[in-house]
Amino acid sequence: MSFCCGASMIGTKGTLRHYRTHIHNVPILFCPVCHRVDIHYMIESEYEILAEYAHGDGVSEVDFQDYVDQRSKALFENCVNHDNEDPMDVVMSQIDMALDLLGFAKHLGDSTWEAELKKRLGILNSRRNKLKAKRTSEGLC
């Protein structure tokens, strides 16, 4: 499981840019709070090799899946959330984890960590409210 700023990162596939080359379907980890993107650690070296070769050949776009044998299910087994989940479920899961961590930070008396968690909870709550408003306007609620 990967963490960023205390939130668990979401396992997904995305498009990354290496100089002028766009590489599609790269397994990545995405932070729902600060929006940091990391290449999945299990395929990082393969990504670097493919990116360098594609850039060297002057290719503008390449699909990672066409060149690298991967077991995407195994890559994201240890992720708490995945991109194919309902966004509201992901946000609620992140809020629950942050609240659990906040309780632990209070127990430890770590005021710096508490402040970071409260900031994260504010961001997640804002995202939750936006999702609720969107669902209400679409008549899904």
Side-chain angles (χ1 to χ4, degrees), residues 82-94:
H82 303 89
D83 68 336
N84 59 353
E85 293 180 57
D86 177 36
M88 184 63 83
D89 290 342
V90 171
V91 169
M92 293 307 294
S93 171
Q94 294 289 329

Side-chain angles (χ1 to χ4, degrees), residues 18-22 50-62:
H18 181 79
Y19 297 107
R20 292 187 180 124
T21 304
H22 289 87
L50 178 61
E52 287 300 320
Y53 277 118
H55 174 69
D57 289 346
V59 177
S60 63
E61 293 191 36
V62 66

Side-chain angles (χ1 to χ4, degrees), residues 14-83:
T15 298
L16 300 177
R17 187 171 143 193
H18 181 79
Y19 297 107
R20 292 187 180 124
T21 304
H22 289 87
I23 305 169
H24 304 288
N25 294 310
V26 179
I28 58 173
L29 300 170
F30 172 77
C31 179
V33 175
C34 70
H35 299 246
R36 185 177 108 191
V37 173
D38 288 342
I39 298 167
H40 196 289
Y41 67 93
M42 292 177 77
I43 57 89
E44 201 166 359
S45 59
E46 289 91 341
Y47 170 80
E48 292 296 328
I49 292 168
L50 178 61
E52 287 300 320
Y53 277 118
H55 174 69
D57 289 346
V59 177
S60 63
E61 293 191 36
V62 66
D63 192 326
F64 188 81
Q65 293 180 142
D66 292 344
Y67 295 92
V68 179
D69 179 34
Q70 57 179 319
R71 294 163 217 90
S72 60
K73 216 172 209 179
L75 287 175
F76 300 123
E77 274 181 347
N78 65 347
C79 292
V80 174
N81 297 108
H82 303 89
D83 68 336

